Amino acid sequence: MKITFPHMGNTYIAVKAMLEDLGLEVIVPPKCSKRTLELGTKYSPESICLPLKINIGNYIESIERGADTILITGSCGPCRFGFYSVIEKEILKDLGYDIDIIVFDPPDGNYKEFINRITKAVNTNNPIKILKSFNRGRIILKEVDRLFQFSNKKRAYAVNSYEVDKIMQKFSEGVLKVKGVIETKKLIKRIFKELEKIEVDNTKRPLKVGIVGEIYTVIEPYVNLDIERKLGHMGVLVDKFLTPSRWVEHNLTLGHLGLSEERKAWKAAKPYIRTLVGGHGRETVGSAIMYAEKGYDGVIQLLPFTCMPEIVAETILKTVAKDYDIPILTLIVDELTGEAGYVTRLEAFVDLLKRRKEERKFERVLSRS
Amino acid sequence: MSCKVGIPQALLYYEYYPLWKEFFTELGAEIVLSSSTNKSILNAGVSSCVDEACLPVKVFHGHVEQLKNKVDYLFIPKFISVCKKEYLCPKLLGLPEMVKNSIDDLPTIIDVEINLIKSNSNLHKSVIEIGNYFTSNNKKIDLAFNKAINRFNEYKKLLANGVIPIEAIKVYNKYINSITTLKNSKYKILVLGHSYNLYDEFLSMKLIEKLQKDNMKVITPDTVSIDKINYYASKLPKRMFWSFGRKIVGAAFYLIEENAVDGIIYISSFGCGLDSVLIDLVYRKAKKFKVPFTLVTLDEHSGEAGVNTRLEAFVDMIIWRDSNENNISTHG
Ligand code: SF4
């Protein structure tokens, strides 16, 4: 069995290590590229949201490399993501691929079926072994999140921000060469050390921007045109409300309970939106408010074209921006999004934030005299 | 003094209007209905709503604009779920919030939550909550709602007898006095889509009426029996968690598999998230069973001429196909 799964930001690092520990042969889909998107767009329903198109591209590119089993997660609505697995199966079947698809839907009361699927996927029915590697996978995911968070910070303070890119490039190449959890962990440690050595200028007072929105767009760099890096080089300190580890916690483990961070976001969002709207719509509103309260200079909302929950959030964010006096930029991506226009909008936004910050400083000086 | 409750003639109006109308009237409120969709409503909606929203949500905003200065209350319930383990579209889940954050100077919005995701018993709570806007007498509310339900069931009986809502609701509103007599047409066309796209005659450019004039018998998901819908929807490899999705897919699968339609026209609106999934499911099934399928996507710039041409070609194809038994391609 040669197992593969769709890309979603850095999740591949943990999933790969975990499955390898269980003794499986893993085929990581090639990094998302123009070809991935083109393949996906060609074979997916035209008006479906972008993440599905990229998934399809990932599968095809993995199958080309010999994958015969796909592992995916699901949900039970209300957003379209819950029906991805059904459509994806049909598409691959119609393309004539002979491939097994194993779906981990959140156990809808049926735990036995859930466990069955896991045993099928990982080829062992030793629950302790499974739980153990699952836990270690989660730890890796958290470590990777920390690493990327740290690299973002470094970029904002570094004397030469491009040094960060070089080291992170080394990381993504290295990750494909190591095997299993232990080696991956070691690699992460090494990269941390290298990042630490980068020379920083602590007199810098970078702008702070929070990124909110639809999870896939927020964490998959190909889709968001590497927004963290771009902002980092513009001297912006970036924070993301949603990260792969939070997503996993939410979807596979504690989804129904609501994590404390998520709870906090729901609470913050409450005056504007009382109920779920699917996807991460409510979290988007809540986390934008939380960024405003923490004194961030601006917020960026990311969403794929026609993403339903985020359209609700977008409407509400207009009021939030007014009420909290914080600029919020909404960026919508689809297969037609061009790099040039995107960068221009980002630059204009950062300029606006800079100007505001200066003006405020100035106001303060005057009012003191 | 009776107070005025505004009901926008958009979105779920086509599903539940008769129910709410009876209920509010029983409670002594006066109903103010927005006019049927027209150009100025569409324009008002387009300019007040975010660009990314789908057409029917924009149109809804236009109806709210038309009503907002004429009423004491606007009835925009927060529909989350109308059936156990099922949801409505995320945009309906957030509809009251979208309206409040897009339109200024609104009257009081009755945005009571309707959420039957876990069980039906929540409905009673919601009904009382809505009723409490008009009276604190809960008994009176219960009574009014029971009456309303009875009337609503009669309305649904009309649908079950093959009267499509567009006609049933007309009878209801006494716009016309008799239902267009059902002709016994040779050809049956299934017109699929969300009720607010199908039955809004402005948005759909009277597509249903045109088909009927062409002597086609029109079937819509509303006229298919619930049992059939549920049975065929349950054949999906995964539970369909959208109630309207279940209705659309279940009805389509039933009619396709039972060989009971000659063609399918799916009316969708640009930017509809659910439709992108539903169309795909129905299209694949239709293809497999060789049932002609065509998609009409509405947006704020759709031209009637283009739609008419498509429609004519489709109807011609079905008639031609019938006279040439060994049909060749059904999908262009
Ligand atoms: S959250 Fe948005 S992008 Fe993701 S599946 Fe749902 S509608 Fe599509």
Side-chain angles (χ1 to χ4, degrees):
Chain A
M1 181 160 68
K2 290 184 181 172
I3 218 160
T4 190
F5 45 84
H7 264 307
M8 181 157 170
N10 294 319
T11 42
Y12 76 96
I13 298 166
V15 180
K16 168 180 171 289
M18 188 181 97
L19 294 173
E20 281 168 349
D21 269 12
L22 286 164
L24 296 167
E25 191 176 339
V26 181
I27 295 193
V28 177
K31 244 171 110 187
C32 300
S33 66
K34 202 163 161 244
R35 178 167 188 264
T36 319
L37 180 58
E38 274 167 8
L39 283 171
T41 307
K42 186 162 168 203
Y43 298 117
S44 309
E46 192 187 323
S47 54
I48 198 84
C49 35
L50 191 63
L52 185 134
K53 295 182 183 174
I54 304 264
N55 285 359
I56 293 293
N58 286 155
Y59 302 151
I60 295 177
E61 292 190 334
S62 281
I63 294 171
E64 286 170 354
R65 294 175 188 217
D68 56 23
T69 308
I70 300 173
L71 213 58
I72 53 180
T73 59
S75 84
C76 294
C79 126
R80 272 175 281 186
F81 178 61
F83 250 83
Y84 269 28
S85 63
V86 177
I87 297 183
E88 292 179 348
K89 271 184 196 167
E90 294 271 353
I91 294 175
L92 294 180
K93 203 173 73 198
D94 279 1
L95 285 175
Y97 291 123
D98 176 25
I99 190 142
D100 238 350
I101 302 185
I102 303 172
V103 191
F104 290 128
D105 276 328
D108 178 19
N110 189 350
Y111 282 89
K112 211 174 139 220
E113 169 66 18
F114 187 62
I115 307 260
N116 275 346
R117 287 188 192 164
I118 295 185
T119 23
K120 184 173 166 207
V122 297
N123 240 343
T124 163
N125 48 17
N126 178 345
I128 297 176
K129 200 173 158 198
I130 294 174
L131 267 183
K132 247 196 193 151
S133 43
F134 184 62
N135 265 329
R136 290 160 82 191
R138 272 166 62 186
I139 292 170
I140 293 278
L141 211 53
K142 279 206 176 129
E143 286 296 299
V144 174
D145 277 355
R146 262 198 345 123
L147 182 69
F148 275 78
Q149 199 68 25
F150 187 60
S151 73
N152 281 346
K153 198 168 157 197
K154 277 284 173 181
R155 243 182 237 113
Y157 283 98
V159 174
N160 175 6
S161 58
Y162 288 92
E163 279 178 37
V164 180
D165 288 5
K166 259 192 240 149
I167 296 172
M168 292 311 280
Q169 178 64 25
K170 233 199 254 171
F171 174 67
S172 51
E173 282 162 16
V175 137
L176 294 176
K177 289 184 196 129
V178 296
K179 263 206 162 41
V181 167
I182 294 175
E183 285 181 27
T184 310
K185 254 181 161 170
K186 270 194 206 146
L187 175 68
I188 296 175
K189 242 198 188 146
R190 241 191 5 252
I191 298 292
F192 252 115
K193 284 222 177 92
E194 286 193 33
L195 284 175
E196 266 160 14
K197 284 193 209 126
I198 291 177
E199 195 190 337
V200 292
D201 173 359
N202 275 323
T203 62
K204 281 194 182 172
R205 290 283 163 268
L207 290 166
K208 284 196 288 180
V209 168
I211 296 187
V212 302
E214 189 276 329
I215 177 103
Y216 189 85
T217 337
V218 169
I219 70 184
E220 175 51 51
Y222 178 73
V223 182
N224 63 35
L225 290 94
D226 237 338
I227 192 165
E228 287 163 63
R229 248 189 45 205
K230 288 202 169 88
L231 287 171
H233 292 316
M234 295 178 199
V236 176
L237 184 57
V238 184
D239 189 68
K240 289 184 299 184
F241 183 74
L242 292 163
T243 60
S245 56
R246 286 207 189 136
W247 181 80
V248 165
E249 305 278 334
H250 182 71
N251 270 273
L252 291 181
T253 50
L254 301 163
H256 301 293
L257 307 173
L259 287 157
S260 67
E261 275 300 297
E262 233 146 30
R263 276 268 150 93
K264 272 190 223 153
W266 295 351
K267 219 175 129 200
K270 199 142 191 214
Y272 296 89
I273 183 161
R274 328 192 288 268
T275 61
L276 88 166
V277 288
H280 289 90
R282 189 159 39 146
E283 287 82 353
T284 294
V285 174
S287 50
I289 292 172
M290 284 158 75
Y291 281 128
E293 281 171 345
K294 281 189 208 145
Y296 273 64
D297 299 291
V299 170
I300 296 178
Q301 181 202 16
L302 291 172
L303 63 136
F305 186 55
T306 74
C307 172
M308 305 179 283
E310 291 299 326
I311 291 172
V312 177
E314 181 194 353
T315 311
I316 299 170
L317 286 182
K318 291 199 193 322
T319 314
V320 171
K322 253 187 255 150
D323 291 358
Y324 285 84
D325 190 25
I326 184 169
I328 300 181
L329 172 70
T330 293
L331 287 174
I332 300 161
V333 295
D334 69 3
E335 57 267 34
L336 303 172
T337 304
E339 176 112 18
Y342 189 85
V343 172
T344 314
R345 293 195 61 195
L346 273 186
E347 280 170 350
F349 186 64
V350 171
D351 276 348
L352 167 88
L353 298 186
K354 271 191 196 140
R355 245 181 295 128
R356 272 173 59 105
K357 204 169 177 176
E358 298 275 298
E359 274 164 23
R360 296 208 163 163
K361 211 161 68 190
F362 197 52
E363 266 167 33
R364 236 178 292 142
V365 172
L366 286 186
S367 59
R368 266 201 208 126
S369 60
Chain B
M1 200 195 76
S2 93
C3 54
K4 289 185 181 152
V5 182
I7 298 187
Q9 203 176 141
L11 292 179
L12 296 188
Y13 159 83
Y14 297 95
E15 301 286 334
Y16 300 118
Y17 173 68
L19 176 70
W20 301 125
K21 159 144 183 152
E22 293 297 337
F23 182 50
F24 287 127
T25 314
E26 279 295 322
L27 291 176
E30 184 194 330
I31 304 261
V32 181
L33 197 60
S34 58
S35 66
S36 27
T37 309
N38 55 40
K39 190 81 195 151
S40 76
I41 288 181
L42 174 66
N43 290 344
V46 168
S47 63
S48 66
C49 188
V50 286
D51 284 348
E52 286 68 38
C54 52
L55 189 62
V57 165
K58 286 182 184 168
V59 166
F60 187 88
H61 281 67
H63 284 270
V64 170
E65 293 274 11
Q66 196 199 55
L67 285 172
K68 70 174 188 186
N69 295 323
K70 299 183 187 153
V71 295
D72 309 302
Y73 297 98
L74 262 173
F75 185 54
I76 310 179
K78 188 176 184 50
F79 272 106
I80 293 192
S81 163
V82 293
C83 202
K84 222 171 157 181
K85 291 190 171 180
E86 289 177 7
Y87 293 97
L88 300 186
C89 162
K91 273 177 262 179
L92 292 176
L93 267 54
L95 188 65
E97 282 99 348
M98 282 187 85
V99 168
K100 282 190 217 163
N101 286 283
S102 304
I103 301 178
D104 296 329
D105 309 318
L106 288 165
T108 307
I109 307 264
I110 303 179
D111 59 354
V112 172
E113 187 177 319
I114 297 181
N115 187 354
L116 315 183
I117 192 88
K118 293 210 177 88
S119 91
N120 279 334
S121 58
N122 279 342
L123 182 60
H124 184 242
K125 208 177 122 235
S126 306
V127 167
I128 295 288
E129 226 178 293
I130 297 170
N132 282 156
Y133 277 88
F134 310 97
T135 167
S136 50
N137 182 345
N138 288 0
K139 261 217 189 95
K140 194 173 159 198
I141 298 173
D142 279 337
L143 217 69
F145 194 68
N146 281 339
K147 262 196 193 160
I149 285 273
N150 287 340
R151 295 295 300 271
F152 187 53
N153 284 337
E154 282 167 27
Y155 165 79
K156 290 217 283 204
K157 230 181 263 160
L158 270 184
L159 305 188
N161 282 328
V163 182
I164 54 176
I166 227 172
E167 287 161 346
I169 232 165
K170 269 183 193 161
V171 188
Y172 201 86
N173 280 337
K174 316 213 169 36
Y175 286 157
I176 54 169
N177 294 321
S178 68
I179 303 167
T180 331
T181 36
L182 289 173
K183 296 184 200 89
N184 241 341
S185 163
K186 193 168 162 203
Y187 301 105
K188 296 195 206 73
I189 305 269
L190 170 62
V191 182
L192 281 179
H194 283 90
S195 56
Y196 39 81
N197 289 328
L198 301 191
Y199 307 132
D200 186 317
E201 295 191 321
F202 178 79
L203 291 183
S204 71
M205 299 172 220
K206 302 205 169 175
L207 189 137
I208 290 181
E209 203 182 294
K210 283 173 190 158
L211 284 170
Q212 287 170 334
K213 276 197 189 126
D214 273 341
N215 247 329
M216 301 278 138
K217 173 159 167 53
V218 173
I219 305 172
T220 70
D222 295 284
T223 61
V224 175
S225 96
I226 291 289
D227 295 339
K228 296 280 186 217
I229 286 177
N230 287 343
Y231 173 71
Y232 280 87
S234 73
K235 285 186 166 188
L236 278 167
K238 176 168 184 167
R239 187 162 43 75
M240 174 49 79
F241 49 72
W242 296 312
S243 296
F244 297 143
R246 172 169 48 83
K247 187 153 113 185
I248 291 171
V249 171
F253 279 21
Y254 160 58
L255 294 166
I256 293 172
E257 287 185 26
E258 300 282 310
N259 198 8
V261 281
D262 299 291
I264 300 176
I265 301 179
Y266 200 117
I267 307 184
S268 177
S269 50
F270 187 72
C272 171
L274 268 63
D275 277 351
S276 66
V277 171
L278 305 176
I279 291 168
D280 193 64
L281 296 171
V282 174
Y283 172 69
R284 280 173 203 279
K285 176 74 80 181
K287 201 165 148 191
K288 212 155 130 206
F289 283 78
K290 298 201 165 54
V291 177
F293 176 97
T294 193
L295 171 66
V296 176
T297 306
L298 313 166
D299 71 13
E300 49 235 68
H301 319 288
S302 323
E304 185 154 357
V307 172
N308 285 350
T309 320
R310 293 271 305 280
L311 206 64
E312 274 162 35
F314 190 72
V315 167
D316 286 348
M317 189 260 282
I318 284 175
I319 298 172
W320 176 88
R321 197 173 174 254
D322 181 56
S323 51
N324 294 265
E325 273 300 308
N326 291 322
N327 47 77
I328 313 161
S329 167
T330 52
H331 298 270

